[in-house]
Amino acid sequence: MRIAVTGGAGFIGSHTVVALANAGHHPIIIDDFRNSKPFIVGRLESLCKGKPSFHEADCNDRDKMAGIFEKEQPEGIIHFAAYKAVGESVREPLKYYRNNVGSLLNVLELQRQFGIPYFVFSSSCTVYGVPDELPVTETSPVKKAQSPYGFTKQVGEQILFDLQKAASESAKSVILRYFNPIGAHPSGLIGELPLGEPENLVPYITQTAAGIREQLTIFGKDYETPDGTAIRDYIHVMDLAEAHVRAIDWLAEKRSEAGTEVFNLGAGSGSSVKEVVETFEDVSGLKLNYRYGPRRPGDVPAIYANADKALKILGWAVQRKLSDALRDAWNWQQQLQKLPV
Ligand SMILES: NC(=O)c1ccc[n+]([C@@H]2O[C@H](COP(=O)([O-])OP(=O)(O)OC[C@H]3O[C@@H](n4cnc5c(N)ncnc54)[C@H](O)[C@@H]3O)[C@@H](O)[C@H]2O)c1
C-alpha cells in the first residue's frame, strides 16, 4: 500500500518508514523539518527497500497537502506530525493546539476529500494521567490532562471517536497509545534527534555519556517504587515502528468490521530510572555522571502498559529488550558524532 507518513523524518516516523518499506509498503514522507533534519531523508533512502517518496510540507498547509495527496494517491495515513514537549506546551499552549489539533483536522478533512480508507493516529500513555491501577489497559479511565500537550492527544482521540459515531463513516482508524519509545535503528543511521536540551531520559543519558551534557539529573528518589525512582514502560522504537505496520495491515484486512480501535503499545512491564541508568552503564561500559534532584511537576510515579490487546488483535508484542534499546541508542549517539550530517 501507499502510506502517507506525516512527520516521517522524526524519531518514530523515520523508523516506521523503514518498517513499512521493508514490509513491502511504499512510504510517502511528509515533513517540514520543524523538529528534524533533512539528512534523515537521505539515510532513509539507504535503509529502505525501494525509494520512499518525500515532500517537504507543513501539514497545516491545506493546499500543499491536497497537491501531495492528489499526486501520490495514498491508501493510508499515519499521522505523527505534532509537537511533543510537555514542558514547552505549558509555556506555549497555542503553538501546541494550532499544530497538534490544527494539522490533525486538516489531514482528516483531506482523508475524506480523497477517500483514503485507513488512518493511524499517534497518541500517548499521557492520556491515563496518574493511573488508579497498574498495568493500564485501554479501558482504564482517561484522566484530566496535565498539560496542553496531553490534552491535544485526548482531543485528537475524541475527534476520531466522534467521526466513527457519525454513521456514514467508511474510514477506519487506529489510535496507538505509545508508552516510552527509546532506542534507534541498529544501523546507527537514524535515531532520536533532540534539537536543544533533551526532555527525555535516554537522549539525556547518551548525551551525558558523550560529554555533550555535564551531568544527568534523576528527578525524584522518594517515589513509592522499589528504588524510589519513577517507573516507565520503555519500548524499542523498532518494535513501535513494526506495530504501525501491523495496524495498517489490520485495517486493510478488517476494513468492513473495524471501527476506531485503541491499542496500548508498551513492553508490558516497567523499569525504574535507576535501572535504565544501570543498564546503560552495563551495555556501554561507562560510568554515568548523575545526581538526584527533586521530582518534576506533572511526572507520575509509575506507569506501564497492559499490551494484551495488541497481541490478541494485531499479533504484536515487543521483541527487543531494554538493553537492546540502550545499546542502539548509544550506537546512534556515537555515529551521530562521527558522521557528517
Ligand atoms: N517520542 C515520544 O516519547 C512519544 C510518546 C507518545 C506519543 N508521541 C507522539 O508520536 C508522534 C511522533 O513523535 P516523535 O517522537 O517521533 O517526534 P519528533 O518531533 O521526532 O517527530 C515529529 C516530526 O513531525 C514533524 N512535524 C511536526 N509538525 C509538523 C507539521 N505541521 N508539518 C510537517 N511536519 C511536522 C517534525 O518536523 C518531526 O520530524 C507525535 O505525535 C508525538 O506526540 C511521542
Side-chain angles (χ1 to χ4, degrees):
M1 283 186 286
R2 301 177 62 76
I3 309 295
V5 185
T6 73
F11 174 41
I12 308 169
S14 59
H15 292 80
T16 301
V17 165
V18 176
L20 284 167
N22 294 342
H25 297 297
H26 178 79
I28 301 150
I29 303 165
I30 303 169
D31 205 304
D32 66 359
F33 304 122
R34 68 181 65 198
N35 200 38
S36 52
K37 294 276 185 196
F39 77 86
I40 292 293
V41 175
R43 293 194 176 178
L44 286 174
E45 286 172 6
S46 69
L47 286 172
C48 288
K49 234 194 268 168
K51 190 176 172 198
S53 306
F54 169 70
H55 297 273
E56 184 167 346
D58 175 355
C59 296
N60 294 291
D61 184 336
R62 181 70 182 262
D63 292 345
K64 194 161 181 185
M65 291 292 287
I68 296 168
F69 283 12
E70 179 72 50
K71 176 169 187 279
E72 296 283 1
Q73 299 288 316
E75 296 154 85
I77 304 170
I78 307 181
H79 184 56
F80 291 105
Y83 291 127
K84 64 170 178 179
V86 173
E88 185 187 50
S89 80
V90 175
R91 296 188 298 276
E92 295 185 67
L94 284 178
K95 177 174 168 179
Y96 276 68
Y97 290 122
R98 167 62 64 201
N99 195 34
N100 293 13
V101 182
S103 71
L104 174 65
L105 290 174
N106 227 5
V107 172
L108 287 172
E109 283 169 358
L110 289 166
Q111 181 196 5
R112 271 135 198 88
Q113 185 181 328
F114 287 88
I116 302 166
Y118 316 124
F119 187 83
V120 177
F121 178 61
S122 297
S123 190
S124 165
C125 66
T126 54
V127 301
Y128 298 117
V130 182
D132 302 324
E133 277 183 347
L134 289 172
V136 287
T137 67
E138 290 81 356
T139 53
S140 297
V142 165
K143 296 284 184 64
K144 187 172 169 16
Q146 300 288 311
S147 69
Y149 167 72
F151 192 51
T152 66
K153 293 300 174 192
Q154 295 185 356
V155 170
E157 291 195 359
Q158 189 60 47
I159 291 169
L160 293 171
F161 293 132
D162 290 345
L163 284 173
Q164 187 200 338
K165 276 190 226 136
S168 62
E169 271 304 299
S170 58
K172 307 295 176 196
S173 305
V174 161
I175 293 169
L176 299 177
R177 291 180 180 157
Y178 313 152
F179 280 66
N180 290 70
I182 58 165
H185 191 270
S187 65
L189 287 174
I190 56 171
E192 190 167 5
L193 195 64
L195 306 179
E197 190 171 350
E199 276 210 6
N200 292 340
L201 175 65
V202 171
Y204 216 105
I205 288 178
T206 58
Q207 290 195 3
T208 306
I212 299 167
R213 309 277 155 208
E214 207 176 312
Q215 190 177 46
L216 169 77
T217 303
I218 297 179
F219 298 108
K221 64 183 285 202
D222 57 352
Y223 285 113
E224 284 180 1
T225 59
D227 64 22
T229 66
I231 289 179
R232 295 289 178 273
D233 184 335
Y234 295 96
I235 169 175
H236 195 299
V237 66
M238 283 309 300
D239 279 328
L240 188 59
E242 286 159 8
H244 291 75
V245 181
R246 296 290 175 98
I248 278 286
D249 288 346
W250 177 76
L251 280 169
E253 284 157 22
K254 301 280 176 186
R255 184 175 171 194
S256 55
E257 52 209 270
T260 296
E261 284 288 348
V262 182
F263 296 97
N264 281 345
L265 297 179
S269 60
S271 307
S272 73
V273 175
K274 191 153 183 281
E275 280 167 340
V276 175
V277 167
E278 287 169 358
T279 308
F280 178 80
E281 290 183 331
D282 278 352
V283 299
S284 67
L286 298 169
K287 268 326 267 170
L288 204 66
N289 180 14
Y290 69 90
R291 68 176 187 99
Y292 290 97
R295 295 181 183 195
R296 250 187 340 190
D299 273 351
V300 303
I303 185 163
Y304 50 94
N306 174 319
D308 292 353
K309 186 177 172 188
L311 177 62
K312 193 163 155 226
I313 298 182
L314 302 178
W316 172 91
V318 296
Q319 304 295 319
R320 297 156 179 95
K321 299 194 293 279
L322 176 66
S323 53
D324 299 325
L326 292 169
R327 189 176 300 110
D328 290 337
W330 180 226
N331 180 35
W332 156 245
Q333 181 70 55
Q334 290 170 294
Q335 299 297 326
L336 199 54
Q337 275 155 288
K338 272 191 265 165
L339 295 173
V341 295

